[in-house]
Amino acid sequence: MSGNLQLLSDTLAAAKSEGRSALIAYLPAGFPTVDGGIEAIKAVLDGGADVVEVGLPHSDPVLDGPVIQTADDIALRGGVKIADVMRTVREAHEATGKPVLVMTYWNPIDRYGVERFTAELAEAGGAGCILPDLPVQESALWREHAEKHGLATVFVVAPSSKDERLAQITAAGSGFVYAASLMGVTGTRATVSSQAQDLVERTRATGTDLPVCVGLGVSNATQAAEVAGFADGVIVGSAFVKAMLDAPDDAAGVEAVRALAGDLAQGVRRQA
């Protein structure tokens, strides 16, 4: 069973052909429950997201700010397992036909087994993984199995990344490059970091053909339009999680993220 790397690449290329950025959403699996999380992710995709990242909840999410940490804690207290993450990927992809990635720290994959994880993710219809804490120089085993199973390997670059390291990452990665727009943890912000555009330009200057997608801080259509002016994709996570957390009940949360996806989808199209 081959994963959906090609679907991811085709989806990002289709957005580019429309003269716009892709909208990439993030929500953790198991939040507020496994079933509730699946409904929320389907709603985000139905609402206008082109791609979704399913977070694998972690007890020490070093890149994630307090909003996503709160959601992860709820999911972990609910007993979420890797099997639930795979089920979330499968049901979201089957319901929408859109590419679904997993965003995870390396430790859970290492414990679970690389071959087992990649085989199960491909079988579930997954498009690949975003691995924020896996150094490119230690990624050969993962990339071997990901390539075998047709899965993207998405690395994260930051404003602190030197040009030499950017070149190493773009040479090794697939699917797209995740450009963290600022130093620090995830979370919504009043303004989009000015470092983001410079990072996108430096990443493209490596000569890569990979789309460069920007995450960390985008929370509304105006910011999405701003980032869409220079990035191939706009990644939104904390704003979706916050909409779920602020909702009076799970059903209202699902409708809130559907509406937010629609608003952001309009934002990335303002550049068209």
Side-chain angles (χ1 to χ4, degrees):
M1 178 77 182
S2 183
N4 275 311
L5 167 58
Q6 191 61 52
L7 175 63
L8 174 65
S9 298
D10 291 349
T11 299
L12 294 171
K16 185 174 184 177
S17 73
E18 294 170 17
R20 66 174 180 88
S21 284
L23 174 60
I24 303 174
Y26 166 94
L27 278 170
F31 166 70
T33 61
V34 175
D35 289 343
I38 290 168
E39 290 309 306
I41 288 166
K42 290 194 293 191
V44 164
L45 288 166
D46 289 339
D50 298 290
V51 180
V52 75
E53 305 169 6
V54 174
L56 196 161
H58 195 276
S59 56
D60 185 26
V62 292
L63 183 75
D64 298 308
V67 171
I68 291 175
Q69 285 186 22
T70 298
D72 276 8
D73 189 47
I74 290 168
L76 291 168
R77 287 205 311 266
V80 69
K81 301 284 194 295
I82 287 180
D84 299 314
V85 177
M86 297 299 179
R87 180 188 152 209
T88 300
V89 171
R90 175 181 286 104
E91 294 195 17
H93 173 63
E94 286 180 351
T96 65
K98 292 184 176 182
V100 181
L101 299 131
V102 170
M103 185 164 188
T104 178
Y105 296 98
W106 178 245
N107 192 25
I109 295 178
D110 194 35
R111 287 207 312 265
Y112 197 73
V114 176
E115 169 60 26
R116 181 183 176 196
F117 189 94
T118 51
E120 289 184 9
L121 182 56
E123 193 275 328
C129 260
I130 299 162
L131 301 157
D133 66 339
L134 178 63
V136 66
Q137 65 270 22
E138 297 173 19
S139 66
L141 177 66
W142 164 267
R143 286 188 285 124
E144 175 192 338
H145 288 288
E147 190 173 332
K148 181 170 78 172
H149 289 291
L151 298 169
T153 298
V154 179
F155 290 111
V156 178
V157 298
S160 60
S161 301
K162 301 288 191 288
D163 290 348
E164 181 185 3
R165 180 161 175 77
L166 290 178
Q168 290 174 338
I169 286 171
T170 57
S174 55
F176 63 91
V177 179
Y178 187 129
S181 67
L182 70 170
M183 301 304 295
V185 297
T186 60
T188 62
R189 286 172 172 79
T191 58
V192 175
S193 165
S194 59
Q195 294 175 306
Q197 186 166 358
D198 176 64
L199 178 58
V200 170
E201 289 171 357
R202 289 200 300 122
T203 303
R204 286 182 177 147
T206 64
T208 185
D209 292 330
L210 292 176
V212 184
C213 304
V214 170
L216 304 196
V218 174
S219 61
N220 58 52
T222 300
Q223 291 175 339
E226 181 185 345
V227 174
F230 57 82
D232 299 301
V234 180
I235 303 169
V236 182
S238 294
F240 283 115
V241 176
K242 187 173 187 302
M244 294 282 290
L245 288 169
D246 289 349
D249 55 53
D250 292 356
V254 168
E255 291 315 306
V257 295
R258 189 192 309 275
L260 177 58
D263 189 43
L264 292 164
Q266 288 184 323
V268 298
R269 283 165 173 80
R270 286 186 198 165
Q271 296 298 313

